[in-house]
Amino acid sequence: DGGITQSPKYLFRKEGQNVTLSCEQNLNHDAMYWYRQDPGQGLRLIYYSQIVNDFQKGDIAEGYSVSREKKESFPLTVTSAQKNPTAFYLCASSTTPGRTSGKDTQYFGPGTRLTVL
Amino acid sequence: KQEVTQIPAALSVPEGENLVLNCSFTDSAIYNLQWFRQDPGKGLTSLLLIQSSQREQTSGRLNASLDKSSGRSTLYIAASQPGDSATYLCAVRNPGGATNKLIFGTGTLLAVQP
């Protein structure tokens, strides 16, 4: 089956601890994205990557880091510098913008719920 | 700065009713607009994508319209069913640049009562 997987489904973090959320896709998409979702708010973009070995900060990148060493993988690390990390994290991927006449919808994974203890 | 608003925040209707969800955006110069569905604790599923040059898109019982000049989009759901209960999100993509950055609204939580 083609799609996006995220793991773990639930994650608990202690104060001062770094944690890494996994995102893998087998859709052969060049672009990948990380969003944060809080209750009552829309999705906010953390980081995005248009190609391997390249990534850009989104609107709320502080306290987060990413890597893109492989096309199919885009892990997100929530560092101790992120003071309020409790949220639902969503990963998405899409074809390269502009190559599909604008029909470059994003495909989302099932999400990871992170809770700070 | 583009801002996307969805009204109402929550809606409860009896089964079988036709309903309309609203989405408004502040900058009319968009590239496209998408409607997504999100079930509780799940990821997003794309329902409809409307290009800036289009007025509407249809898929089954769903119809999405776009009026760029007024900065509005509506999602029409015909003959609603309990299985339609979910949160519906709209998102716009601004033109320019090589990215597919989406700006999301806060969503409408729909409950269809059997």
Side-chain angles (χ1 to χ4, degrees), chain B:
Chain B
K1 179 183 176 183
Q2 179 74 270
E3 293 182 1
V4 180
T5 304
Q6 292 187 246
I7 295 174
L11 180 65
S12 180
V13 300
E15 182 176 4
E17 272 204 7
N18 302 325
L19 59 98
V20 174
L21 307 180
N22 298 292
C23 173
S24 61
F25 44 94
T26 54
D27 186 347
S28 62
I30 64 171
Y31 190 72
N32 62 35
L33 181 144
Q34 282 188 260
W35 282 93
F36 291 89
R37 168 183 173 140
Q38 184 178 30
D39 292 295
K42 306 288 186 181
L44 277 64
T45 300
S46 180
L47 298 173
L48 292 164
L49 184 151
I50 311 177
Q51 304 287 3
S52 61
S53 58
Q54 298 175 321
R55 298 282 295 187
E56 66 178 352
Q57 282 287 330
T58 298
S59 176
R61 295 183 293 109
L62 305 180
N63 176 277
S65 68
L66 174 64
D67 183 345
K68 281 201 313 177
S69 61
S70 66
R72 293 181 181 179
S73 175
T74 62
L75 179 66
Y76 175 84
I77 302 177
S80 59
Q81 303 171 357
D84 294 329
S85 298
T87 296
Y88 290 82
L89 295 142
C90 72
V92 301
R93 177 185 166 189
N94 288 339
T99 65
N100 187 12
K101 292 174 63 177
L102 297 179
I103 301 163
F104 284 84
T106 53
T108 294
L109 176 61
L110 173 65
V112 181
Q113 308 299 331

Side-chain angles (χ1 to χ4, degrees), chain A residues 16-80:
Chain A
Q17 189 179 44
N18 293 353
V19 292
T20 298
L21 284 60
S22 170
C23 177
E24 304 276 335
Q25 55 98 359
N26 61 5
L27 300 169
N28 200 32
H29 285 165
D30 288 311
M32 297 187 74
Y33 313 81
W34 273 106
Y35 293 92
R36 170 180 173 143
Q37 187 177 31
D38 294 281
Q41 297 192 37
L43 277 68
R44 292 182 290 169
L45 183 64
I46 305 172
Y47 267 98
Y48 63 97
S49 169
Q50 297 183 77
I51 198 168
V52 174
N53 292 322
D54 182 64
F55 49 84
Q56 305 293 330
K57 292 182 179 180
D59 300 319
I60 55 166
E62 185 175 352
Y64 301 97
S65 66
V66 294
S67 63
R68 187 83 188 277
E69 298 177 1
K70 298 186 296 182
K71 185 176 185 178
E72 59 271 21
S73 179
F74 191 39
L76 173 73
T77 296
V78 184
T79 74
S80 58

